[in-house]
Amino acid sequence: MKTRKRLLLLLLGMLACSAAAEAIEPISTSIAVGMAAALTGFLASYQNILYYFNECCRSEWISFNRTGLEADLENKLFGQHIASRIVLKAVNGFMSNENPKKPLVLSLHGWTGTGKNFVSQLIGESIYREGMASSFVHIFTSELHFPHSGQIETYKAQLQQWIKGNVSNCARSMFIFDEMDKMHPGLIDGIKPYLDYYDKLDGISYRKAIFIFLSNAGGERITQTALDFWTAGRNREEMELRDLETDLSLSVFNNKKSGLWHTSLIDKNLVDFFVPFLPLEYRHVVQCVLAEMKARGNTSGMKVADQVARDVIYFPKSERVFAVKGCKGIESKLDYYT
């Protein structure tokens, strides 16, 4: 920036000198104009070079890859047909709209190890060239960023300033709130204005931002529905969003430990989608193990994957239908068997 300013001052000085000398030597004006054009071209090139090497809020660094997200959801996320479908349609629709009416707000719910964090990562990688390392992706965790319940008002003010500052820097910013079920119930209400249908707030538009909430809340309701399907002999792939959405939103709204308990985000319908993550079965855990083995270049095969998957704790105890912790901890178990 300092270099650019120096060049501009030099250019202005040269133009001033040429204007003063115009009566004596008319040809100097055309020379100055030519030099000005050359410097302008240099400055444009210099700026483009900076944009190439330094992440900035431009299409070179922020561009949604629908095909990539679809492939990742299909090949890397296991047992989540409902979540995959919702996320792909929601993100694609939002990123394809140059003038959305409000920010995209997704609330991902389900037991630990079912893929909530992983999906937020896939979304980030499909939008930002730097993926989750992008300076436009911001992650908040309850225990790290908001540890003291007595400082909620301070946290609210800090959170508002953080969101305002980052969105003013880049409209296509993404904010991820992990461990929502451990967050103070009233904290999220502090960012409600930024999620609403406002054109601008204090001169800043938040309509192109993305907010993702991750929570274990609602997991019991989701799991019970999945268990009911299994008990009735129905295929889990027959389960649809309508089988879960209403009960899920109500259980989250009425759960004091959800982080969204009685918040105006739900009351005002500012959450675009409540995305349920189903409990994983043995076959899905096997897929997780095989994927991890492939990522490590491990060719041990199905026998090891089966050993690892069988070592996971399932419930109900007698039937062993669903993995209690999903695919969480697979990496350490795989270390043991290989």
Side-chain angles (χ1 to χ4, degrees):
M1 184 61 73
K2 290 182 179 179
T3 303
R4 186 177 179 185
K5 286 181 178 179
R6 290 195 201 100
L7 289 169
L8 286 172
L9 289 171
L10 175 63
L11 173 60
L12 290 172
M14 291 168 58
L15 288 173
C17 290
S18 66
E22 185 176 5
I24 301 173
E25 181 140 26
I27 195 171
S28 63
T29 302
S30 60
I31 292 174
V33 171
M35 294 182 70
L39 281 171
T40 301
F42 172 77
L43 288 174
S45 299
Y46 175 76
Q47 189 177 45
N48 285 331
I49 290 172
L50 285 179
Y51 288 149
Y52 182 81
F53 289 106
N54 297 280
E55 186 185 28
C56 59
C57 192
R58 286 164 53 110
S59 59
E60 292 92 335
W61 295 88
I62 303 175
S63 181
F64 178 55
N65 182 357
R66 184 193 186 283
T67 303
L69 179 59
E70 183 175 19
D72 284 343
L73 289 171
E74 182 177 345
N75 300 319
K76 298 179 180 180
L77 181 68
F78 309 116
Q80 305 300 349
H81 65 285
I82 298 176
S84 294
R85 186 164 56 245
I86 296 172
V87 167
L88 181 62
K89 289 185 176 181
V91 177
N92 180 60
F94 181 75
M95 293 300 296
S96 300
N97 187 352
E98 284 301 317
N99 188 31
K101 299 299 182 185
K102 65 180 290 296
L104 176 63
V105 183
L106 301 176
S107 193
L108 315 186
H109 296 268
W111 276 7
T112 184
T114 52
K116 301 185 298 297
N117 277 287
F118 185 55
V119 164
S120 65
Q121 176 185 324
L122 294 182
I123 294 173
E125 290 175 349
S126 72
I127 296 174
Y128 304 95
R129 184 168 141 189
E130 293 292 290
M132 297 303 286
S134 170
S135 58
F136 307 124
V137 176
H138 314 282
I139 303 175
F140 301 92
T141 59
S142 177
E143 294 183 337
L144 177 62
H145 295 100
F146 319 111
H148 306 296
S149 58
Q151 299 183 27
I152 296 304
E153 293 306 314
T154 300
Y155 294 149
K156 279 186 181 182
Q158 292 174 342
L159 189 55
Q160 289 170 344
Q161 287 302 312
W162 183 257
I163 293 172
K164 181 178 180 179
N166 281 288
V167 174
S168 64
N169 181 45
C170 184
R172 289 290 189 189
S173 293
M174 185 165 81
F175 302 90
I176 301 172
F177 293 82
D178 196 5
E179 300 179 338
M180 281 287 292
D181 45 304
K182 299 177 183 178
M183 198 171 292
H184 189 280
L187 183 58
I188 291 300
D189 267 340
I191 66 171
K192 173 193 172 291
Y194 308 128
L195 311 183
D196 215 329
Y197 292 83
Y198 294 118
D199 183 23
K200 290 184 177 180
L201 290 173
D202 295 330
I204 301 172
S205 174
Y206 297 85
R207 292 183 170 191
K208 292 186 177 181
I210 297 177
F211 292 82
I212 302 177
F213 304 133
L214 313 179
S215 177
N216 292 342
E220 291 184 5
R221 179 66 262 172
I222 295 169
T223 299
Q224 185 58 53
T225 301
L227 189 59
D228 290 343
F229 264 68
W230 179 83
T231 302
R234 300 178 63 183
N235 192 321
R236 70 185 274 137
E237 278 70 31
E238 296 176 17
M239 204 180 311
E240 298 184 15
L241 179 60
R242 63 171 177 263
D243 296 313
L244 293 157
E245 190 173 34
T246 301
D247 286 344
L248 176 58
S249 61
L250 286 174
S251 66
V252 170
F253 184 73
N254 293 315
N255 185 344
K256 290 185 178 182
K257 296 182 179 181
S258 73
L260 290 170
W261 178 63
H262 284 195
T263 64
S264 56
L265 269 66
I266 297 179
D267 193 33
K268 301 296 182 182
N269 297 311
L270 298 182
V271 176
D272 297 297
F273 293 97
F274 288 94
V275 186
F277 282 71
L278 304 175
L280 300 183
E281 300 175 8
Y282 163 80
R283 56 190 168 113
H284 305 127
V285 178
V286 169
Q287 289 177 298
C288 290
V289 179
L290 290 172
E292 178 63 22
M293 290 169 61
K294 182 178 179 180
R296 297 184 182 189
N298 188 324
T299 57
S300 298
M302 187 66 186
K303 183 178 180 180
V304 171
D306 178 70
Q307 286 179 315
V308 174
R310 289 185 182 280
D311 194 35
V312 169
I313 299 175
Y314 295 86
F315 83 97
K317 287 185 178 180
S318 55
E319 293 87 354
R320 288 172 54 87
V321 182
F322 301 125
V324 172
K325 295 184 179 180
C327 285
K328 191 170 185 177
I330 287 300
E331 294 86 352
S332 57
K333 289 184 180 297
L334 186 57
D335 291 337
Y336 175 78
Y337 283 103
T338 55

